[in-house]
């Protein structure tokens, strides 16, 4: 049963990683759009269009966070409906005793709020020159870089847990 538990847990970590990889791709696109909006060769009307696109992309980051689950367990935030709460640690039973467990890191909140992108989302959605101009776009680039670093940290945590699980499964098979 431990081998089966381990294989299921590996699948769970792979799902979380692939979902966060797509979120990372989206953030790369957002950064590209902010670079486009930050230049004075882009008109304010162009920035409004870019802002609408950025807002929709951040909506998709929220969708991925709320929809990514394994067997009903939401993986990228507390649950499918509460975007403000971070996910709890997941514990996988990998042996015969109560101490034979492997646990993920708690605190994953891979949505716009958890990645500190709510100000960008609000500004992009409004698209007005008062809040989404070239200078503001340049300022939001740093927020996207920070979000990417946060996301990559969570991906690394899931990746290291996956490596630990795979090792435990191999050990169980040997036994």
């Amino acid at each position: 049963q431990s081998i089966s538990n381990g294989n299921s847990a590996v699948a769970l970590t792979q799902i979380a990683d692939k979902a966060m990889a797509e979120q990372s791709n989206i953030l790369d696109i957002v950064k590209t759009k902010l670079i486009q909006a930050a230049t004075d060769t882009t008109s304010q009307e162009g920035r409004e269009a870019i802002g609408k696109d950025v807002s929709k992309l951040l909506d998709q980051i929220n969708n991925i966070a709320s929809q990514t689950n394994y067997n009903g367990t939401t993986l990228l935030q507390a649950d499918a409906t509460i975007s403000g709460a971070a996910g709890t640690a997941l514990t996988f039973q990998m042996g015969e005793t109560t101490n034979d467990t492997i646990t993920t890191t708690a605190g994953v909140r891979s949505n716009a709020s958890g990645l500190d992108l709510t100000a960008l989302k609000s500004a992009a959605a409004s698209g007005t020159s008062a809040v989404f101009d070239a200078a503001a776009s340049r300022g939001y680039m740093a927020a996207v870089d920070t979000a990417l670093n946060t996301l990559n940290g969570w991906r690394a945590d899931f990746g290291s847990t996956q490596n630990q699980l795979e090792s435990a499964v191999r050990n169980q098979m040997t036994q």
Side-chain angles (χ1 to χ4, degrees):
Q1 183 58 52
S2 298
I3 293 168
S4 178
N5 286 357
N7 288 331
S8 293
V10 166
L12 178 147
T13 59
Q14 289 173 338
I15 289 168
D17 178 63
K18 296 299 183 201
M20 286 186 283
E22 182 55 31
Q23 289 178 315
S24 181
N25 290 339
I26 290 170
L27 289 175
D28 286 339
I29 294 167
V30 167
K31 175 98 183 253
T32 300
K33 292 190 175 296
L34 288 173
I35 292 169
Q36 182 183 6
T39 185
D40 283 334
T41 58
T42 301
S43 67
Q44 189 55 40
E45 291 80 14
R47 282 188 198 94
E48 289 175 21
I50 290 168
K52 288 177 185 175
D53 198 19
V54 166
S55 180
K56 291 291 187 182
L57 289 166
L58 294 176
D59 283 342
Q60 185 56 25
I61 283 179
N62 288 341
N63 290 341
I64 291 169
S66 67
Q67 295 168 1
T68 302
N69 73 82
Y70 184 85
N71 202 19
T73 300
T74 306
L75 304 178
L76 304 182
Q77 61 185 37
D79 66 34
T81 59
I82 303 173
S83 64
T88 58
L90 302 172
T91 302
F92 310 111
Q93 186 65 40
M94 295 300 300
E96 299 174 10
T97 69
T98 58
N99 294 329
D100 295 333
T101 61
I102 295 174
T103 305
T104 64
T105 302
V108 175
R109 189 165 56 124
S110 182
N111 52 46
S113 175
L115 294 169
D116 290 328
L117 296 172
T118 52
L120 169 57
K121 180 155 178 29
S122 175
S126 78
T128 63
S129 61
V131 294
F132 196 69
D133 59 6
S137 296
R138 282 189 288 278
Y140 289 125
M141 284 189 262
V144 172
D145 288 340
T146 300
L148 279 165
N149 287 335
T150 300
L151 192 62
N152 287 336
W154 290 329
R155 287 186 71 194
D157 286 341
F158 272 101
S160 62
T161 300
Q162 179 181 337
N163 290 337
Q164 189 179 11
L165 289 162
E166 289 171 344
S167 176
V169 166
R170 286 190 300 272
N171 186 51
Q172 287 290 331
M173 291 171 59
T174 300
Q175 293 179 33

